[in-house]
Amino acid sequence: MANKPRGVPPDAVTAYSGRATDYDVGVRGRLHRGIANRVVTTAVRVAPAPRRVLDVGSGTGFLLRRLAQRLPQTAELVGVEPAPGMIRVAEAAAAETRIRFLSGVAEQLPFPDAYFDLVTTVTSFDHWPDQLQGLRECARVLRPGGQFVLCDRISSVFALTAPGRRQRKARTPRRVEYLLGQAGLTGPTWQPSYALIIGTVSATKL
């Protein structure tokens, strides 16, 4: 690429990495697992037999472990994550050779075009410095007809902009649908919200 996309700020990666060992425990852990389990249900419904799966911003790998349980025929499940602490925890918890984790950011995915049948991202999109570029990369690595599932802080209760570091983030369904279309992902279908402010949408690679 001519212009290298700016990744997640180093201080944010460090802070997130430090939370890795207790990320899936306590009240926040239960919330995370609840959201991830709903995304798994959606993902398996829209892509019941994917050969290759990618999770962008994979954290501790909980979502991929659950998908591996639900998709025994899937040959490869890959997580991309910028925080090294999260990758260490994810690798330690992964009990299958089908699951692997790589360091990386959404804006520059280290895979060839049309490699995956299903791409997911859960509570990561809101942190992407360049959301449109990240979605374009997700679309690039999806095969034609492949499925994309996004879950994050998306609700009609949000304004299009927020103060501070969340300024100009896409947080409404309308704005997210616009970015999906710009990235080449079509037919957005919304799932019931989780805790009012968490939205899940699936879309298809053109």
Side-chain angles (χ1 to χ4, degrees):
M1 296 180 181
N3 298 311
K4 184 177 180 179
R6 179 169 60 89
V8 182
D11 57 341
V13 172
T14 300
Y16 189 56
S17 189
R19 296 170 53 199
T21 56
D22 61 358
Y23 189 76
D24 286 333
V25 301
V27 175
R28 288 186 179 181
R30 288 195 296 273
L31 175 62
H32 168 72
R33 294 193 302 273
I35 293 170
N37 281 326
R38 287 190 175 214
V39 172
V40 167
T41 298
T42 297
V44 171
R45 183 170 66 251
V46 301
R51 178 167 175 76
R52 297 189 181 100
V53 175
L54 171 66
D55 186 33
V56 181
S58 50
T60 62
F62 178 80
L63 179 79
L64 286 181
R65 295 194 301 274
R66 292 287 290 115
L67 282 173
Q69 293 171 352
R70 295 286 299 275
L71 299 169
Q73 77 284 10
T74 298
E76 185 177 6
L77 301 101
V78 186
V80 167
E81 168 61 47
M86 289 289 179
I87 292 177
R88 285 193 293 270
V89 169
E91 288 178 335
E96 295 193 44
T97 57
R98 294 186 297 157
I99 305 175
R100 63 189 177 100
F101 299 92
L102 300 174
S103 177
V105 295
E107 294 89 345
Q108 200 165 27
L109 296 173
F111 307 103
D113 297 354
Y115 188 76
F116 293 98
D117 306 289
L118 170 66
V119 175
T120 62
T121 183
V122 181
T123 61
S124 170
F125 177 68
D126 198 55
H127 298 277
W128 297 357
D130 189 335
Q131 292 178 314
L132 178 55
Q133 175 61 20
L135 290 176
R136 283 174 171 160
E137 278 289 277
C138 289
R140 179 185 66 78
V141 302
L142 266 175
R143 65 167 178 79
Q147 297 296 313
F148 176 67
V149 181
L150 163 66
C151 178
D152 216 307
R153 297 180 184 182
I154 305 168
S155 171
S156 58
V157 304
F158 289 125
L160 290 181
T161 61
R165 65 191 179 93
R166 291 293 184 265
Q167 188 176 12
R168 301 182 64 83
K169 293 296 183 180
R171 282 186 160 184
T172 65
R174 181 177 179 181
R175 178 63 176 165
V176 170
E177 287 184 11
Y178 172 77
L179 293 183
L180 289 171
Q182 289 294 299
L185 295 160
T186 189
T189 302
W190 292 90
Q191 311 302 322
S193 63
Y194 185 92
L196 183 63
I197 63 170
I198 303 296
T200 301
V201 61
S202 60
T204 304
K205 167 70 175 292
L206 290 172

